[in-house]
Amino acid sequence: MSDDTALIDRFLEMMAAERGAARNTLAAYGTDLRLASDALGSGLVAADAAALARLADGWDALSAATVARKAASLRRFFGFLADEGLRADDPSDALPRPGTRRPLPRILSAIDIGRLFAAIEDRLARVPPDPLDLRLSALVELLYGSGLRATELVSLPRGAVHPDRPFLILKGKGERERMVPISDRARLAVAAWRAHVPPESAWLFPSGRNHLSRIRLYQLMKALAGVAGIPPDRVSPHVLRHAFATHLLEGGADLRALQAMLGHADISTTEIYTHVDSARLVEMVNARHPLGEALAGRGVDVSAHEA
């Protein structure tokens, strides 16, 4: 357990800052991870798939919801270890997946995205523009325009985005490489910001001796949301990544192409965005279709009849 303690604390800090996890959620994650670490004996950092399978065998008497929560806590923790470069593999596939409904990701509408970019453009209209506003512009262009994960974004090398190449190659979870498209406006935004990055910097978004932290990126997105008139709890780097995926799918993007761009190992992870799209269609039909209006007028809850 001693080897895990510091990493569990770092993981909980990340969940609070980047995901906006509630206090009760953090407490549940912490309890699940510490109990699992104690049960394994050798700790989580060194656990392999066989050890996790044995751990899950001890959950037989628990409810499906409790098993799902424990498994989710461990999966998130091992994902965090992979993001931090502390593990090259992810043994959490050995954990059970009870048949619980997966929540739909939070997203922003196209109107909300427009508000964020309008707020940035207002700042960039200052002469001369503040370099920090140029940095913010580059960050948001890459988050929403390319669907980068927060860790991938803040750790980009200084020369990662080439002015004459409309894509970049990333190593994501599990050291898997993928090609990510970069829009013309994103390349322009990066070029404008990079002019203010010292040539000797290893990072595109440096901060002190290292690169910009994910927590600071999260704070910048919250602050931008407030300026744009959007509730800050609705905006985060992950929400912008979700918006990238959902809006592409709504625009007719191929699901397999989207999977490749997002860096999902399993197509089932990408398919969650088809559910988001379907949910919006159901809402639209219920709100605008004559039959939906007629049922609502008769006091019928149409949502209760959705298959």
Side-chain angles (χ1 to χ4, degrees):
M1 172 65 181
S2 59
D3 292 341
D4 289 337
T5 300
L7 286 173
I8 290 173
D9 288 343
R10 279 172 56 188
F11 166 75
L12 296 176
E13 289 175 2
M14 181 276 292
M15 290 296 296
E18 293 188 15
R19 306 292 178 88
R23 183 178 302 174
N24 289 344
T25 301
L26 294 173
Y29 280 157
T31 298
D32 289 340
L33 294 173
R34 293 182 186 103
L35 288 174
S37 181
D38 289 339
L40 287 169
S42 59
L44 291 170
V45 176
D48 57 15
L52 293 186
R54 290 193 298 271
L55 175 68
D57 287 342
W59 297 345
D60 287 346
L62 302 177
S63 69
T66 300
V67 171
R69 190 201 69 225
K70 286 179 174 292
S73 299
L74 288 166
R75 285 194 183 90
R76 285 184 180 273
F77 181 70
F78 283 108
F80 164 76
L81 294 181
D83 284 346
E84 293 291 307
L86 299 172
R87 284 194 69 129
D89 65 327
D90 184 350
S92 63
D93 283 344
L95 296 169
R97 295 180 180 272
T100 54
R101 185 177 180 183
R102 187 174 182 178
L104 297 179
R106 292 182 298 168
I107 62 169
L108 294 171
S109 68
I111 293 175
D112 289 331
I113 293 295
R115 289 173 180 164
L116 291 177
F117 280 106
I120 294 173
E121 288 167 5
D122 284 346
R123 293 186 177 191
L124 295 179
R126 302 168 186 167
V127 180
D130 187 324
L132 292 181
D133 291 332
L134 294 173
R135 183 184 69 174
L136 181 63
S137 175
L139 289 167
V140 176
E141 289 284 358
L142 290 171
L143 277 173
Y144 176 67
S146 300
L148 301 188
R149 295 183 177 97
T151 299
E152 295 169 342
L153 175 61
V154 297
S155 61
L156 283 175
R158 188 182 188 279
V161 179
H162 293 269
D164 57 347
R165 193 173 69 188
F167 62 88
L168 57 84
I169 297 176
L170 293 175
K171 278 190 177 180
K173 292 183 178 180
E175 293 296 300
R176 292 187 297 270
E177 284 192 346
R178 74 182 194 275
M179 188 171 3
V180 178
I182 303 293
S183 68
D184 290 342
R185 57 181 287 162
R187 282 185 288 156
L188 288 172
V190 169
W193 158 243
R194 190 165 46 211
H196 297 271
V197 179
E200 67 274 13
S201 173
W203 314 106
L204 179 58
F205 300 106
S207 179
R209 296 182 180 179
N210 207 329
H211 56 68
L212 187 73
S213 71
R214 292 181 300 179
I215 291 176
R216 183 56 184 150
L217 175 63
Y218 177 91
Q219 293 169 340
L220 290 171
M221 296 304 105
K222 295 292 184 187
L224 176 61
V227 173
I230 301 171
D233 61 357
R234 292 183 54 214
V235 179
S236 73
H238 288 280
V239 169
L240 287 173
R241 173 172 157 88
H242 293 326
F244 160 82
T246 305
H247 295 166
L248 268 183
L249 198 60
E250 289 174 349
D254 176 78
L255 193 62
R256 286 288 181 184
L258 184 59
Q259 177 192 6
M261 285 187 281
L262 292 172
H264 290 160
D266 192 330
I267 190 67
S268 64
T269 307
T270 317
E271 285 173 344
I272 189 66
Y273 296 106
T274 66
H275 301 318
V276 173
D277 202 20
S278 297
R280 286 175 170 266
L281 288 174
V282 170
E283 290 178 3
M284 181 179 68
V285 169
N286 288 341
R288 300 181 184 179
H289 193 278
L291 180 58
E293 294 176 354
L295 288 174
R298 288 160 51 191
V300 177
D301 182 4
V302 290
S303 63
H305 297 272
E306 294 170 12

